[in-house]
Amino acid sequence: MMTIDRKRSALVLVDIQPDFMPGGGLPVTDGHRILDGVRKLMDSDAFGLQVATQDWHPPDHVSFAANHPGKEPLEVISLHGHDQVLWPLHCVQGTEGAELHPELPWGQVSVIIRKGDDPRTDSYSGFRNNWNPDGLRPGTGLAGYLRERKVSDLYVCGLARDYCVKWTAEDAAAEGFRTRVIWDLTRSVDPSGDDDLRKTLASAGVELVESSELEMESPS
Ligand code: VGL
Ligand code: ZN
């Protein structure tokens, strides 16, 4: 079992939004299956801090295939010098699919990072945008927010495992946080890449854990 150092640990909830679940705009297979386990973590007293990210795109966002005439979802283009997957419409600002999932207790989450709001730039990670037209990846402020609260250990869950969870965890490790992905509380857009993803994350210094390994105290 793994004991969570409550004062130094934050739970990072990545893009747990209806559009990433079956029936949504960019459905991740079994995305809804993380909900019960995530709720258990949120309701526990195990983490001194809980933070969330919310994918939050304007309708004219560059990541939408619909904004590139002749292109289909999942085609890849070059954008600002890097590969960009084109996605179906998802998480459009103000729509139901973009809400934080209504079945989870968001009240105790102290900061929500809305990302992907710049129409010219995608943003998978909660820590930095993808590359912007200047070739930079501007930070969101989340690293500083966590550091100022003396958080050193991050436990990352949410959707999608192979995009926003991956990028968030990699950036977290690069920022110097001890970073753990709670593997069973994530799901991939393309599960055929999961074996490679485990290796990629491990090489980036990210630990993979299962929620069953986490020592959880019930709320008192
Ligand atoms: C995501 C693709 C596009 C994610 C967000 O949350 O993983 N993936 N936008
Ligand atoms: Zn998105």
Side-chain angles (χ1 to χ4, degrees), residues 54-104:
Q54 185 173 21
D55 214 35
W56 193 248
H57 300 309
D60 62 345
H61 195 254
V62 70
S63 79
F64 295 152
N67 294 326
H68 300 264
K71 299 283 180 197
E72 297 294 330
L74 303 187
E75 280 188 53
V76 179
I77 63 166
S78 180
L79 178 68
H80 315 317
H82 297 269
D83 282 356
Q84 169 71 46
V85 180
L86 296 178
W87 300 108
L89 279 181
H90 66 277
C91 299
V92 174
Q93 294 172 5
T95 62
E96 260 186 59
E99 287 172 10
L100 295 174
H101 199 284
E103 288 166 29
L104 291 179

Side-chain angles (χ1 to χ4, degrees), residues 14-17 20 26 28 53-57 61 63-64 84-88 90-91 115 122-125 130 158-167 187 189:
V14 175
D15 295 8
I16 308 182
Q17 299 167 259
F20 296 120
L26 203 178
V28 177
T53 66
Q54 185 173 21
D55 214 35
W56 193 248
H57 300 309
H61 195 254
S63 79
F64 295 152
Q84 169 71 46
V85 180
L86 296 178
W87 300 108
H90 66 277
C91 299
K115 59 184 183 62
D122 211 351
S123 190
Y124 293 151
S125 165
N130 299 10
L159 301 169
R161 180 188 283 158
D162 46 351
Y163 287 94
C164 292
V165 169
K166 169 181 188 270
W167 284 54
R187 289 293 185 282
V189 170

Side-chain angles (χ1 to χ4, degrees), residues 118 150 170:
D118 176 348
K150 309 279 186 265
E170 287 177 340

Side-chain angles (χ1 to χ4, degrees), residues 1-4 155 180-184 207-216:
M1 291 297 270
M2 177 175 287
T3 309
I4 300 164
Y155 293 79
R180 298 181 170 119
V181 167
I182 310 169
W183 187 262
D184 59 306
E207 284 176 66
L208 305 180
V209 301
E210 299 287 325
S211 59
S212 58
E213 296 174 67
L214 301 177
E215 189 117 45
M216 214 65 59

